[in-house]
Amino acid sequence: MDDLRYPVGKYHRPERLTPDEREAGIAAIATAPAALRAAVAGLSDAQLDTPYRPGGWTVRQVVHHVPDSHANAYTRFKLGLTEDSPTVRPYEEKLWAELPEAKSAPIAPSLAFLEALHVRWVMALTAIRPEEWQRTIVNPEMGHYTLDQLLAMYVWHGRHHVAHVTELRRREGW
């Protein structure tokens, strides 16, 4: 792997998704918590505190980051469904990952939070009508995103971080 930052490749924003791609994306959101839980199963505290790459976050920070990010994503979907092109607030994810709880807290609460969050998120996603997938949000740092594009981004995001852990485990022989 040439770039340890992007073990599944960089995110590529699609113009729009087909109904089959949306269905597959929703299924990926539904299974993402189990994939992350499986990726970290059996890791010791020392392993959890190992960066997934030189200069990168530790596995523990990654585990805490995913529900932080996906809670923001869930909110962005809800805003996109209930407001006309709302501007969403960016957040400093790198600084969130440096907070003491992100660097030292047990991972079980974040895994449980992610599971509960994704149950609600999947319920919301499956209720979106076909024409609503083209509704937009505005991220001041990244521009306009349709709900289709947000779904694709967070499917990628879950796979991206699971692969950080699984690739580290593969490289380290864990």
Side-chain angles (χ1 to χ4, degrees):
M1 177 176 310
D2 293 336
D3 191 339
L4 298 177
R5 293 174 301 171
Y6 300 103
V8 297
K10 290 185 178 181
Y11 169 70
H12 296 287
R13 179 158 57 169
E15 189 62 35
R16 69 185 313 145
L17 300 178
T18 67
D20 287 344
E21 289 169 329
R22 284 183 202 123
E23 187 176 322
I26 293 168
I29 295 294
T31 61
L36 184 58
R37 185 177 288 281
V40 299
L43 291 180
S44 68
D45 279 335
Q47 290 167 324
L48 289 171
D49 293 328
T50 301
Y52 74 87
R53 68 174 173 86
W57 290 341
T58 67
V59 173
R60 186 182 310 274
Q61 286 172 296
V62 169
V63 171
H64 294 312
H65 162 73
V66 174
D68 286 346
S69 175
H70 290 195
N72 276 283
Y74 174 73
T75 301
R76 290 171 179 181
F77 269 92
K78 298 281 250 189
L79 290 169
L81 287 166
T82 60
E83 299 178 20
D84 291 327
S85 280
T87 298
V88 299
R89 188 179 184 289
Y91 69 102
E92 297 292 337
E93 66 179 35
K94 291 177 183 169
L95 295 178
W96 285 33
E98 293 300 322
L99 291 170
E101 54 85 20
K103 293 178 87 170
S104 63
I107 62 171
S110 284
L111 292 170
F113 175 48
L114 187 68
E115 289 167 348
L117 174 64
H118 277 234
V119 168
R120 284 289 309 277
W121 194 6
V122 167
M123 286 191 269
L125 292 171
T126 57
I128 296 175
R129 296 185 310 267
E131 67 274 11
E132 291 177 314
W133 286 100
Q134 296 313 304
R135 292 182 63 89
T136 60
I137 63 148
V138 180
N139 182 316
E141 296 174 346
M142 299 168 22
H144 286 77
Y145 273 79
T146 66
L147 297 186
D148 264 345
Q149 292 166 332
L150 278 180
L151 177 61
M153 179 190 309
Y154 286 99
V155 167
W156 171 86
H157 187 260
R159 290 179 177 150
H160 168 71
H161 286 304
V162 166
H164 282 149
V165 178
T166 58
E167 285 299 309
L168 173 63
R169 289 185 82 144
R170 183 189 61 74
R171 289 191 315 271
E172 295 294 324
W174 295 342

